[in-house]
Structures are given as structure tokens and as C-alpha cells.
Amino acid sequence: MDDMEVLYSMAGPSRDGARALIGKKYFNENFDRLLFGPGDPFSGGVLIKDCGFSSCSTASTFAVSQGVHMSSVAFSEIRAPDAMMVSSAAILENVVVRGGKGAAALWCSPPFEGDVTEDVLGWSKAGMAGVDLAIDFSELHAPDSEVVGIPLSKLKWNPQIHIPVLTSWAESECWAELDLPKKSFWRILVSRLRNVGCSEGIFTIPFPGDRDYDLKMAELARIEGAGLLKR
């Protein structure tokens, strides 16, 4: 089985034992898909370790699904039609995602209720407990990245590009005094965190040219001035 066949065996469910991709490096490859998992760790799971993907592209899915254990893997300048979708019901350790504005953004989120079994959730929680650094996206300049469902203490980001948002903002007297409109970009982000049951997350700062850019940045300055934002 060649490298590509091994890689594509990472995609989709399997109950035939462990699937692993270890020590593989890919440069300037065009993939039908870059899909890792989903995997059930109690019937083998999916292990991706010591791998690198640089200047690669896909015209389809780019995702790390639940039940995947990904360790020491780097993605650099990946082109895809959508963001890199990462489930927080995975074990992520020393995963690096970097790239310029044209690279795929990073979206990490918890699974919807009922989408993942309690066994898998317990497995990922136990595995992540021993992880110091889950994802380093400090060199990812792609717009609209969003990392939710992993403690901020296990993430590395760029404070010039990314903003930590906390639901505790809305519980502060300062928040009410800011009198932000109901449709404020920042209020929407706090509501999004609440809707997925998370207290914190990292979001990309609006880019110049974004809709209502000046308003978003003016509101951000007020939030920071009130002492709510700690970069």
C-alpha cells in the first residue's frame, strides 16, 4: 500500500483495528480529501503522528474528526474550499497550523450533543488532560479562524491576530456599562460560546475590509479599555 492509500484509509469509520499514519511528509500534493477519522478509539481509533503537510491542497473536506489522536503534526499553507474543521472530541498534541491569508482557516468546536458517544468524549478528555500544548496557530493569518472547546491554557495564538473571548465578559458590570447593541459582533461571539456550552474561545480579529470593520474595532477598543480583554 503506497502513502496515498495509507492516508485515505484514515478517512471514514472502521472497526477493523487501529489505523495509523506515522512519519509521513507531504509537499505540494493535491488530495481528493484531507479527512482524518472519524474513529472509535475502543475499536482501534486513528493515530496520526510525526507527519507534515506543506503547501498541499484539496478540493473537498479538510477535517480532523472525533476519535483521532494527532501528535506532532504540522499543516503549513494548506489550500481548501473551507476551513480546517477540528473536533474537540479528539486528542490533539503539538499540532501546528500555519499559513498566510490565503490558507485554510482553522475551526475547532465541540461535537453537537448526541453526535459522539460518551465513551469517545471520556477518552478524549482523559487524553487531553496530559497535553500541555494542543494546537499552535500563532502563525496562521487566515481570516475567520475559531478555536472553541479546548482550554486556552493548551493553545498558542498570536495576540495581534487572535482574540480570546470569554462568557464571563457578559457577567461583568463593565459589560452592561458598555451598552453594546444586541447585534454587536462581540455579543454574538459570547452567545456562540454559550450555545456550545463553552466558557472561552479564540477568534480572529476582524480584518480591514470586513463588513462593519471600523465599528467592530471601536467596540473592541471599548472592551479592552474596560479591562475585560487580557491579551
Side-chain angles (χ1 to χ4, degrees), residues 54-152:
S54 180
S55 299
C56 296
S57 63
T58 179
S60 183
T61 304
F62 181 22
V64 179
S65 299
Q66 68 270 12
V68 172
H69 185 170
M70 183 169 280
S71 176
S72 299
V73 177
F75 298 94
S76 180
E77 297 290 353
I78 306 298
R79 300 299 196 270
D82 206 346
M84 177 184 184
M85 310 298 290
V86 179
S87 172
S88 66
I91 298 175
L92 306 165
E93 184 173 13
N94 296 320
V95 176
V96 177
V97 183
R98 62 173 70 95
K101 292 183 179 180
L106 171 64
W107 274 56
C108 178
S109 61
F112 290 109
E113 186 175 355
D115 283 356
V116 179
T117 66
E118 290 298 323
D119 285 345
V120 173
L121 290 174
W123 168 85
S124 62
K125 183 177 180 179
M128 287 294 287
V131 169
D132 292 323
L133 176 61
I135 309 177
D136 176 353
F137 55 103
S138 59
E139 296 182 55
L140 179 64
H141 295 259
D144 300 323
S145 292
E146 179 175 316
V147 182
V148 178
I150 297 175
L152 300 194

Side-chain angles (χ1 to χ4, degrees), residues 110 112 167 188-198:
F112 290 109
T167 56
I188 291 171
L189 293 187
V190 169
S191 295
R192 187 180 302 173
L193 288 173
R194 285 175 166 170
N195 289 340
V196 298
C198 294

Side-chain angles (χ1 to χ4, degrees), residues 99-102 140-145 160-162 185-186 203-214 216-217:
K101 292 183 179 180
L140 179 64
H141 295 259
D144 300 323
S145 292
Q160 301 303 313
I161 304 171
H162 311 111
F185 175 74
W186 307 102
F203 299 85
T204 303
I205 299 174
F207 279 37
D210 287 358
R211 182 178 179 182
D212 297 327
Y213 171 78
D214 291 338
K216 292 173 182 176
M217 296 306 292

